[in-house]
Structure formats: C-alpha cells, structure tokens
Amino acid sequence: MRAHPLATDAVLALGALVSMLLGSFVDPHGPLGPSFRTRAPEPVSLLLMLLGAAALVFRRRSPRTVLAVTCGLTLVELATGEPRAPVAMSAVIALYTVAARTDRPTTWRTGLLTMAGLTGVAMLAGPLPWYAQENIGIFAWTGMAAAAGDAVRSRRAFVDAIRERAERAERTREEEARRRVAEERLRIARDLHDVVAHHIALVNVQAGVAAHVMDKRPDQAKEALAHVRDASRSALNELRATVGLLRQSGDPEAPTEPAPGLAVLDELLDTFRHAGLPVDATVQLGTEPEALPAAVDLAAYRVIQEALTNVRKHAGPGAQAQVSVVRVGASVEVTVLDDGGDSADSSPAPAPPGGGHGHLGMRERAGALGGSCFTGPRYGGGYRVHAILPV
C-alpha cells in the first residue's frame, strides 16, 4: 500500500463508489423498516457519485482540493436529490484524509466548517425535514471522520518520533563510544603522568649526582644512589596502585612470573603435544633467543601460541603443525602451518559472539613493532600464519 499509493486510493474509490451505489437503492423509511431496491437514484445522482469517487483517487496528492470538490458535489445532491443518494460518503473520506495529513488547528477549522456547511444545507435547503435522521447522520459522520483522522495523525507522529530517536541514537552510538575511549585514554595518561613523572625526574637528578661525585666523594654518591632506590620503589608502588584502580574488580590478579618468550618455546610446544597435536619446530635465529628485543621475543611467542591454539580448535582430527622461527636480515619471520587434518574445510570456524579476536590480536602485535602478519588457507588444505617482526 505504501509502495503504490495511487493504486490503493483507486481501490478505495472503487469501494466507496460501490457502497454509494448500494446505499442509493435503500429506502430507510420503508413500511417495515429499511428496504432494498424499493427506490432508484436519479441520473444526476449517479453522475455525482461517480465524480465523487473519481476525486478520491487523488485524495493524497491534493487532499484539500479533493475535499472541496467532494463537498461541492455533496451540496448539490443535498439540495436537489430526491430521493437523496449518499454522495456525502466521498466528502467524509476526503475530510478524514485532510485531518490525517494536516495539523490539529487545520483539522478543527476544516472539520467544523465542513460539518456546519453540509449539515446546514441538508437541514435548510433539502427536501427532507430539518430534523430528519439523514441530516443528523451527516453531522455525526463528518465529526467522526475529523476525529478519526486527527487520532491517526497523532499516532503516526508519535511512531515517527520514536523511530527518529532510535535512528539518531544508532548513528551517535559509535561516535559516543569513540569519544569515551579517547577520554578514558586521556585520563589514564594523566594519572600515569602524575604518578610517575615526579619520581622519574628525581631518579634522573640523583643518578646524575651519583655519576658526578662517584670518584671524588663516594659517600655522597652512595647517598644519591640510596635516594634513587627509594624513589624508584615509591614510583613502582604508586604505579601498582594506579593500575590496580584501573583494573576491574573481577579481573584476575596480575601474573608475577616473567613475560614468556622463545626461551620457553619448547614448554609451549609440549603443552600442545600433550593435548594431542603433533608439532615440529625449527628455530634458526643466529643468536640466542635472549638477545632479541623483549617486545619481539614476546610477540613471536604470542603469535605461535595463538596460531597453534587455532589449529587445535579448528583443524580436523589428526592434524599436524609445523612451527618455523627464522632470522632473515633485520627481521624475524614466524611461520605456523597445519595440514588441516581429516577435515574437508580447515579454515577457521565462525567465532562465537564476543570472541574471534585472535587474528586481530596477532596483526596488532606485529603492527605495533612495525611488522606484518598474514593469515589464510593453504593450497591443498590446511592453514598458514606468517608474521614478519622487525628486530
């Protein structure tokens, strides 16, 4: 109906025409009550009903013009029709349309004018007595049409307001989230600066003093180093307190063991082997793993851990994995391959709601070091994770 309003109005006009034609054959004053086919409309009444129904086809395009036309046709019928045909039905529908598509003051003015005009002409100029029920019916039907149209307009305005509010909230939700994240980052940065800046400045000054007097006045140098120790301890305590405030109450306690790295890679691989995933590893760094920067060492470990976790979760039974960590020039290349096992499709399964951040986390870790991480299915089955970490 909303997609084809003109066709809808044409169907409505046809229904109104049929109703007016049927009503024109009804005599409400029969000897035994209302009777059908005891009278017939005049040719002029038939023409007025046809014109009134045709005008209703355009009721949405020009509601006030259609109301004026249908009221004019109704006035002609009220003044001349004998027997009277229900041409007023077209005016009632047109008045409802005007009330539903305009504001309330316009509805009041138009409704009162239509009710008074049609009822007054029917009472004063028609062939029926002024107190006839047909005249009272015109007053009642026009009043109900104006009231119903105003109620529909009010409901539509209410629904539109709710829909517009929901759409506006949806548009601004993402912007509000970004603003909150930016404010939170600024607050955390401010807190950390307030906690750390003073103590780090003090450590810097005392360390300079100790270096300056180390040879000539060792006692004063020792005192300066004691101040450095006290200031660093105080900074650590306050930093720990600040981070504790930022952590939510339900978060687990911070780990106390050192950050993992390639030095404990064998232990990580053993955990997957014990879980039933055969893993072969090749590490060719040219130097000891401890010589790598801590951030690179940790990133390589986490990439391998996440990739093997995905293999364990998503690959088919009987899958095998290969891990390669190779130093190539100024970068470390980490590659994790699997053969997909017995599964026909070894690509990662869809992540459940709230999860699925493993690939994003690997890319972010590599990107934070200025590197890159590529993931995707292998030709012939299986999956491949390849990370390049600049040293």
Side-chain angles (χ1 to χ4, degrees):
M1 294 175 62
R2 293 181 179 179
H4 306 282
L6 189 62
T8 302
D9 292 338
V11 173
L12 175 64
L14 180 60
L17 178 60
V18 172
S19 300
M20 289 188 290
L21 290 176
L22 293 177
S24 63
F25 287 92
V26 176
D27 183 9
H29 303 288
L32 299 178
S35 57
F36 183 67
R37 298 188 64 181
T38 57
R39 67 171 186 172
E42 297 179 353
V44 176
S45 298
L46 292 174
L47 177 61
L48 294 177
M49 288 186 287
L50 180 61
L51 294 176
L56 292 179
V57 178
F58 308 98
R59 68 186 186 95
R60 300 196 201 192
R61 293 186 176 182
S62 303
R64 298 187 184 184
T65 302
V66 172
L67 177 61
V69 171
T70 53
C71 286
L73 298 175
T74 302
L75 292 175
V76 173
E77 176 64 20
L78 293 177
T80 61
E82 181 57 37
R84 182 184 294 172
V87 183
M89 181 180 294
S90 61
V92 170
I93 297 176
L95 179 59
Y96 165 83
T97 303
V98 171
R101 302 178 71 87
T102 57
D103 54 7
R104 180 161 295 173
T106 303
T107 299
W108 276 98
R109 292 193 298 267
T110 305
L112 291 176
L113 180 61
T114 303
M115 293 167 59
L118 296 183
T119 306
V121 172
M123 289 182 175
L124 301 178
L128 298 176
W130 68 269
Y131 53 83
Q133 62 181 2
E134 289 87 344
N135 299 335
I136 305 300
I138 292 175
F139 179 83
W141 278 106
T142 51
M144 287 189 294
D150 182 70
V152 170
R153 179 197 56 77
S154 299
R155 175 173 174 76
R156 287 175 180 172
F158 177 73
V159 172
D160 291 342
I162 294 179
R163 184 181 295 110
E164 193 274 336
R165 187 182 307 167
E167 292 176 353
R168 185 172 62 251
E170 186 68 22
R171 289 193 304 268
T172 58
R173 182 178 303 171
E174 185 176 354
E175 179 181 352
E176 179 67 15
R178 288 196 298 266
R179 185 186 64 82
R180 289 178 179 271
V181 169
E183 292 179 353
E184 185 66 12
R185 287 176 175 174
L186 181 61
R187 185 183 68 83
I188 294 174
R190 187 186 306 114
D191 292 342
L192 292 177
H193 177 271
D194 293 342
V195 169
V196 176
H198 169 70
H199 296 289
I200 295 299
L202 181 60
V203 167
N204 182 60
V205 172
Q206 295 293 342
V209 172
H212 181 69
V213 301
M214 179 67 70
D215 297 332
K216 297 181 180 180
R217 286 174 286 180
D219 294 338
Q220 189 174 354
K222 186 181 298 184
E223 182 180 357
L225 292 177
H227 289 305
V228 169
R229 183 184 64 250
D230 295 339
S232 60
R233 183 186 299 112
S234 178
L236 288 175
N237 292 335
E238 294 192 22
L239 183 60
R240 187 180 299 111
T242 302
V243 175
L245 292 176
L246 295 177
R247 183 182 295 118
Q248 297 181 0
S249 59
D251 290 345
E253 293 294 333
T256 56
E257 65 272 8
L262 296 179
V264 293
L265 179 61
D266 291 337
E267 298 179 7
L268 174 66
L269 300 182
D270 287 339
T271 60
F272 287 98
R273 294 188 181 109
H274 294 160
L277 176 64
V279 183
D280 293 331
T282 301
V283 179
Q284 297 178 356
L285 297 177
T287 59
E288 293 297 326
E290 291 80 357
L292 292 177
V296 176
D297 194 25
L298 176 61
Y301 180 90
R302 293 303 188 192
V303 168
I304 296 173
Q305 183 183 42
E306 180 61 30
L308 292 178
T309 301
N310 289 337
V311 174
R312 188 70 184 87
K313 290 169 56 179
H314 302 302
Q320 296 183 1
Q322 296 179 357
V323 176
S324 172
V325 183
V326 180
R327 176 73 176 264
V328 180
S331 301
V332 172
E333 295 188 8
V334 179
T335 306
V336 180
L337 307 175
D338 72 272
D339 56 7
D342 300 334
S343 176
D345 181 12
S346 62
S347 60
H357 299 290
H359 287 189
L360 179 61
M362 289 189 291
R363 295 191 183 96
E364 289 180 347
R365 285 186 180 277
L369 300 175
S372 58
C373 182
F374 306 94
T375 61
R378 299 173 61 193
Y379 179 76
Y383 211 74
R384 176 175 183 267
V385 175
H386 182 68
I388 301 176
L389 307 175
V391 178

